[in-house]
Amino acid sequence: MSVSVRHAVLGAISTLALVAGLTPSAQAQDARTIAAAEAVRDAAMADNIALDYVTQLTTRFGPRPAGSPSETAASEWAADYLREHGFKNVRIQEFPLVGWERGEESAAIVGANAQRLVVAALGHSPGTPAGGIEGEVVRFTSLEAFQAVPDGSLAGKIAYVDAGQLVPMQSGAGYGPLSRIRGAGPGVAGQKGALAFIMRSAGSDEHRMPHTGTTRYVNGVVPVPAFSLSAPDADQLSRLVGYGEPVRVRLSSTARTFETTSRNVIGDLPGRTRPEEVIVLGSHMDSWDLGTGAIDDGAGGAITIAAARAIADQGRTARTLRVILYGSEEVAQPTDTGNGGGAYLRSLSAEDIANHVFTGESDFGADRVHTLQLPVGAQTGPFAEAANRVLYPIGVLRSSVPETSGGADIGPIVRAGVPVFGLQQDGLRYFDLHHTADDTLDKIDPEQLSQNVAAWAGLLWLVADSDVDFRAMAPATPAP
Amino acid sequence: MSVSVRHAVLGAISTLALVAGLTPSAQAQDARTIAAAEAVRDAAMADNIALDYVTQLTTRFGPRPAGSPSETAASEWAADYLREHGFKNVRIQEFPLVGWERGEESAAIVGANAQRLVVAALGHSPGTPAGGIEGEVVRFTSLEAFQAVPDGSLAGKIAYVDAGQLVPMQSGAGYGPLSRIRGAGPGVAGQKGALAFIMRSAGSDEHRMPHTGTTRYVNGVVPVPAFSLSAPDADQLSRLVGYGEPVRVRLSSTARTFETTSRNVIGDLPGRTRPEEVIVLGSHMDSWDLGTGAIDDGAGGAITIAAARAIADQGRTARTLRVILYGSEEVAQPTDTGNGGGAYLRSLSAEDIANHVFTGESDFGADRVHTLQLPVGAQTGPFAEAANRVLYPIGVLRSSVPETSGGADIGPIVRAGVPVFGLQQDGLRYFDLHHTADDTLDKIDPEQLSQNVAAWAGLLWLVADSDVDFRAMAPATPAP
């Protein structure tokens, strides 16, 4: 929608609120609002339902692949959980997608150095022919080197990219270069004529636990069977190739895709005086099949549900808080319509979108929040000051860099113009666990989980119980 | 052999040495001997072949289960490695054993909370019937509670013992209580009528990596299929049981036993003046099937070979250094004859045994040595002082407690009277990795590995290039 329409809609709402004799506008920086935000923050730090939610979710349902019976059951349970915890208008929003199932898989070096390898097929990889695939390994140390060989030159071979371990960064920035290999690799392998594609998994750990993750379609399918190799197995394979003798690998997988549906679970804590104005707290319900989706992203649901609940325990806010547990974040195909964020956006009218005043996503584990990023234009000024006052005492710094995307789930509404914030978390150990069998409840530190809840609750109170307007703070978009 | 016979034999040898006009006795505490030991220690710390050996061994052969083609191939390779590095009289000593093969295995919670569990069958566990075993789980929090229920009372059930995580200790003492459960559990399960036995694996980590290990035969077989559950899976199963609803588990395994042979690889660095007097440096070649046996016990072979080689690089010692890479330490059945230590002992005459002057075993990973334990009677006196002088500078303390056992490989010769030392290693992280798929090369810290080599080389020089007699230091055994 255009900026002018958006402002007209908001103007109408403000006028309506005054005419209806509701509470006059409250500023986020009012002393009373800040004091209430601090109280919410401290109460959430001391006691919240996050650990209860993520414990029950991961224990009762285990892995929750998009479109699986387990995701469906977990969604029904989560809807009940929201109702039991005072959320209103709890609903489940169903949408179609192409699901993917791992089946059974195995890999081994054959011949003189025969030994098993620990692999995981990449999401949406096709299975191998029955009996498997066998070929000599050709190793590349970068995607660029792999792309540079002539088309068709790897006929009968297995292409292997080992570009080293993921560089651990607090920001998670080390993931980018490796997820690019994961996305493009099978397509390049197809182009070069290879039988299959294997890569050192996109992770920072040294455990026999491959990191899976979705790869990219080319003309509607993933071109060749594609696997991720655990770091110690990648070390091993690269050393053997380095010894200079030919290394043959056998790969087998019964992976398959299928038509299915996923679902978003949505629950509201309706606003007191501005119920049409909605703040969306996002995370995703689906998980990879290898672990139980505790840090990715049971924790996000736990943090957002607990933060909303902590706010409601303090009092009803002016605006509506909406928690959405999105379906199908991990294996979304088709990319544009197969994920929960897109399905949610399609359910909104232009007026609904204009009434979405703020959104954020929790999808980076349960380790502590260290930095707040506010929407474009809000880096300085009274709201930023108030937020800093509430968050700095629990170890959250302010950033001069605006948040602009928010993540895969809320991406669609953010691209439609909803102001977005980021409560950035410590990602130093996230990629030790992400997309592996080791993504389990025990990896969540309850104290850091509570700090997340407190940061979300404190920040959101300032927005939910005020009339702060981030759209108005954004610099005018230059005319095209 | 009796104490009196042993002393008579030793007396004869000493007399012989003098008559033959060999080098007069050298004391371990001589300044020249200590200086040479210090030089060997420092040279080994700076440069040794340990990392090369364990890298090649684990990379080329991967897992090396006792009696497997991989163990055989690795033994042949290791014999060549010893020859290439100057060892003499390199030989392979074959012996029979009952081997065990894991085959394929799986486990899952079935019903309302359906999800896979990550398990590993215990060594020598029988397979399940085709199609698997299914039953309700009955949980016990201790072996004692399990043993206390009436015989036959678990008919149709799966017995589950979750006695908590292994207590991490530098000494590794936390392993005892849990390995007892592993040994006794399947027998108790059979007695109680259970279909199968599962236990939280004997480990200190929180990874989806079960710790395997051998269990105990009852009347010649393991009574029921027996599995180890990874810690996060044990957490999960125990939480679900704690929710109070019945939990059913399905288990499947194609494990089997078979007649096979294993082998000891033996190589000597013959002594200059007292070649009959042998110092045995022990470790084991076989490994569990899940990892590549880097810390258990590729490292032990690496440390002992590299220490012997470092000593030889400094000069030929008076006594013979013998490196033995024992076969079948992990799955030895029958207990008395199916392991390499027993096979080696059976190959020795009484005179041979009397000529074994000192032995030690390296089978606790590659983390640093922190304490020296000397044989009974040697805790004080000139040798202990000399050893302390050589080892304290690299962080090794002296102990007032004697070493008396030495481990499974050298246990048979120690029980036959060979004086034993212990260079105790830091075991705090050993049981994170022990008997799991994660026992891989990357877990070895090269610097700590070298400190081990230096400690072994420094200590052994004092014994190998002197006439120190630990048997003479032992208090006289009282007459029976």
Side-chain angles (χ1 to χ4, degrees):
Chain A
M1 92 191 297
S2 75
V3 172
S4 59
V5 170
R6 182 196 299 161
H7 282 178
V9 171
L10 284 174
I13 291 166
S14 299
T15 308
L16 191 70
L18 289 173
V19 168
L22 298 180
T23 313
S25 70
Q27 300 294 308
Q29 66 272 24
D30 287 350
R32 207 175 58 89
T33 308
I34 290 175
E38 289 169 336
V40 169
R41 174 200 69 198
D42 294 343
M45 191 75 105
D47 185 32
N48 65 74
I49 59 173
L51 191 61
D52 174 66
Y53 171 84
V54 70
T55 301
Q56 290 203 53
L57 174 75
T58 56
T59 304
R60 291 185 187 281
F61 306 100
R64 303 171 300 283
S68 70
S70 166
E71 190 207 30
T72 305
S75 296
E76 299 285 350
W77 171 86
D80 286 342
Y81 193 93
L82 290 175
R83 286 185 198 103
E84 280 160 25
H85 286 87
F87 287 77
K88 308 295 180 197
N89 192 23
V90 175
R91 63 252 190 222
I92 287 180
Q93 189 174 63
E94 206 172 274
F95 59 92
L97 84 152
V98 179
W100 180 80
E101 197 174 67
R102 178 175 307 280
E104 301 300 323
E105 61 198 6
S106 67
I109 296 168
V110 295
N113 307 109
Q115 52 190 287
R116 279 199 195 190
L117 294 171
V118 184
V119 296
L122 298 180
H124 283 268
S125 168
T128 61
I133 285 171
E134 192 184 307
E136 188 183 329
V137 168
V138 182
R139 180 181 56 152
F140 301 94
T141 56
S142 70
L143 181 60
E144 293 67 28
F146 182 30
Q147 287 166 325
V149 301
D151 287 1
S153 63
L154 299 179
K157 310 283 195 205
I158 293 174
Y160 169 41
V161 178
D162 177 0
Q165 290 281 92
L166 188 144
V167 180
M169 297 277 284
Q170 198 172 36
S171 67
Y175 186 51
L178 299 187
S179 65
R180 239 187 339 269
I181 295 172
R182 196 180 69 210
V188 178
Q191 199 181 325
K192 307 305 179 191
L195 293 170
F197 171 74
I198 53 182
M199 65 180 285
R200 175 188 288 265
S201 73
S204 45
D205 64 297
E206 274 282 353
H207 294 296
R208 296 295 283 288
M209 228 125 25
H211 298 243
T212 188
T214 270
T215 184
R216 206 181 294 152
Y217 277 31
V218 179
N219 303 326
V221 290
V222 175
V224 298
F227 298 85
S228 167
L229 198 55
S230 92
D233 292 86
D235 292 346
Q236 186 85 333
L237 187 56
S238 289
R239 271 193 304 268
L240 269 176
V241 169
Y243 286 168
E245 298 138 32
V247 179
R248 291 183 73 78
V249 163
R250 171 177 292 277
L251 297 164
S252 164
S253 159
T254 63
R256 68 180 190 100
T257 56
F258 56 101
E259 303 284 319
T260 185
T261 58
S262 181
R263 62 221 75 235
N264 296 328
V265 181
I266 306 174
D268 292 348
L269 293 172
R272 188 180 73 242
T273 54
R274 298 163 169 269
E276 312 84 355
E277 295 184 22
V278 174
I279 298 165
V280 170
L281 290 62
S283 68
H284 64 89
M285 166 58 79
D286 69 312
S287 79
W288 279 102
D289 58 330
L290 298 172
T292 64
I295 68 154
D296 186 14
D297 184 27
I303 290 163
T304 53
I305 293 170
R309 187 59 245 169
I311 289 169
D313 286 343
Q314 184 77 8
R316 200 165 162 189
T317 55
R319 289 161 159 170
T320 293
L321 288 162
R322 176 167 298 163
V323 166
I324 309 185
L325 307 167
Y326 291 94
S328 185
E329 192 264 359
E330 298 292 6
V331 296
Q333 290 289 353
T335 312
D336 294 336
T337 58
N339 81 339
Y344 178 67
L345 177 65
R346 288 192 300 279
S347 76
L348 302 179
S349 68
E351 191 180 345
D352 292 334
I353 294 169
N355 271 331
H356 277 51
V357 297
F358 205 39
T359 190
E361 180 171 319
S362 177
D363 186 15
F364 202 48
D367 281 354
R368 75 186 177 89
V369 170
H370 57 73
T371 302
L372 169 65
Q373 286 183 276
L374 288 169
V376 178
Q379 279 59 56
T380 54
F383 183 84
E385 295 298 331
N388 188 56
R389 192 164 144 189
V390 173
L391 296 184
Y392 184 78
I394 58 169
V396 181
L397 302 175
R398 57 201 295 182
S399 174
S400 60
V401 178
E403 174 66 55
T404 53
S405 60
D409 290 313
I410 62 170
I413 58 171
V414 169
R415 287 189 292 274
V418 178
V420 59
F421 68 93
L423 281 167
Q424 305 302 345
Q425 294 173 259
D426 185 344
L428 270 172
R429 65 180 193 129
Y430 186 69
F431 291 105
D432 287 355
L433 306 168
H434 174 254
H435 293 192
T436 72
D438 235 2
D439 178 3
T440 49
L441 183 64
D442 51 282
K443 307 311 180 304
I444 291 180
D445 170 359
E447 208 163 317
Q448 294 192 66
L449 180 68
S450 286
Q451 189 260 11
N452 272 269
V453 178
W456 277 72
L459 174 71
L460 289 178
W461 181 276
L462 293 179
V463 181
D465 206 45
S466 79
D467 61 1
V468 59
D469 179 0
F470 292 102
R471 282 183 172 94
M473 295 184 206
T477 311
Chain B
M1 89 193 300
S2 75
V3 172
S4 59
V5 170
R6 183 196 299 159
H7 281 178
V9 172
L10 285 174
I13 291 165
S14 298
T15 308
L16 191 70
L18 289 174
V19 169
L22 298 178
T23 312
S25 71
Q27 301 293 307
Q29 66 271 24
D30 288 351
R32 206 176 56 89
T33 308
I34 291 176
E38 288 169 337
V40 170
R41 173 200 70 197
D42 293 344
M45 190 76 106
D47 187 30
N48 63 74
I49 60 173
L51 192 62
D52 174 66
Y53 171 84
V54 69
T55 300
Q56 290 204 52
L57 174 75
T58 58
T59 304
R60 292 186 185 279
F61 306 100
R64 304 171 300 282
S68 70
S70 166
E71 190 207 28
T72 306
S75 296
E76 299 286 351
W77 172 86
D80 287 341
Y81 193 93
L82 290 175
R83 285 184 199 102
E84 279 160 26
H85 286 86
F87 288 77
K88 306 298 178 196
N89 191 23
V90 175
R91 63 248 190 226
I92 287 181
Q93 188 173 67
E94 206 172 274
F95 59 92
L97 86 152
V98 179
W100 180 80
E101 196 173 67
R102 177 175 307 282
E104 300 300 323
E105 61 198 5
S106 68
I109 296 167
V110 295
N113 308 110
Q115 51 191 286
R116 277 198 197 192
L117 295 171
V118 184
V119 296
L122 299 181
H124 284 268
S125 169
T128 62
I133 286 171
E134 192 184 307
E136 188 182 328
V137 167
V138 182
R139 180 182 54 152
F140 300 94
T141 56
S142 71
L143 181 60
E144 293 68 27
F146 181 29
Q147 286 166 324
V149 301
D151 285 2
S153 63
L154 299 180
K157 312 283 195 204
I158 293 173
Y160 169 41
V161 178
D162 178 359
Q165 290 282 91
L166 188 146
V167 180
M169 297 278 284
Q170 199 173 34
S171 66
Y175 185 52
L178 300 186
S179 66
R180 239 184 341 268
I181 296 172
R182 197 180 70 210
V188 179
Q191 198 182 326
K192 307 305 181 189
L195 292 170
F197 171 74
I198 52 182
M199 65 179 285
R200 175 189 287 266
S201 73
S204 46
D205 63 296
E206 275 282 353
H207 294 297
R208 297 294 284 288
M209 230 126 21
H211 298 243
T212 190
T214 269
T215 185
R216 206 180 294 152
Y217 276 31
V218 179
N219 304 326
V221 290
V222 175
V224 298
F227 298 86
S228 167
L229 198 55
S230 92
D233 292 84
D235 292 347
Q236 187 85 334
L237 187 57
S238 290
R239 272 194 303 270
L240 269 177
V241 169
Y243 286 170
E245 299 139 31
V247 180
R248 291 183 73 78
V249 162
R250 172 178 289 279
L251 296 164
S252 164
S253 159
T254 63
R256 68 180 190 100
T257 55
F258 57 99
E259 304 284 320
T260 183
T261 58
S262 181
R263 62 220 77 234
N264 297 328
V265 181
I266 306 173
D268 292 347
L269 293 172
R272 190 181 69 245
T273 53
R274 298 164 169 265
E276 312 84 356
E277 296 184 20
V278 175
I279 298 167
V280 170
L281 290 62
S283 67
H284 64 90
M285 166 58 80
D286 68 311
S287 79
W288 279 102
D289 57 330
L290 298 171
T292 63
I295 68 154
D296 186 13
D297 184 22
I303 290 163
T304 53
I305 294 169
R309 188 59 246 168
I311 289 170
D313 286 343
Q314 185 75 7
R316 201 164 162 193
T317 55
R319 291 162 158 169
T320 292
L321 288 161
R322 175 168 300 162
V323 166
I324 308 184
L325 308 167
Y326 291 94
S328 185
E329 192 266 358
E330 298 292 6
V331 296
Q333 290 290 352
T335 312
D336 293 337
T337 58
N339 82 338
Y344 178 66
L345 176 64
R346 288 192 300 278
S347 75
L348 301 180
S349 68
E351 190 181 345
D352 291 335
I353 294 170
N355 271 331
H356 277 52
V357 296
F358 205 38
T359 190
E361 180 171 321
S362 178
D363 186 14
F364 202 48
D367 281 354
R368 74 185 178 90
V369 170
H370 57 73
T371 302
L372 168 64
Q373 287 184 274
L374 287 170
V376 178
Q379 281 58 56
T380 55
F383 183 84
E385 295 299 329
N388 187 57
R389 192 164 144 190
V390 174
L391 296 185
Y392 184 79
I394 57 169
V396 181
L397 302 175
R398 57 200 294 181
S399 174
S400 59
V401 178
E403 174 67 54
T404 54
S405 60
D409 289 314
I410 62 169
I413 56 171
V414 170
R415 287 190 291 275
V418 178
V420 58
F421 68 93
L423 281 166
Q424 306 302 345
Q425 293 173 260
D426 186 345
L428 270 171
R429 66 181 193 129
Y430 186 69
F431 291 105
D432 288 354
L433 306 168
H434 174 254
H435 294 193
T436 72
D438 235 1
D439 177 3
T440 49
L441 182 65
D442 51 282
K443 308 310 182 304
I444 290 179
D445 171 359
E447 208 163 316
Q448 294 193 67
L449 180 68
S450 285
Q451 188 260 10
N452 272 269
V453 178
W456 277 71
L459 173 70
L460 289 179
W461 182 276
L462 294 179
V463 181
D465 206 44
S466 79
D467 61 0
V468 59
D469 178 0
F470 293 102
R471 283 183 172 94
M473 295 185 206
T477 311

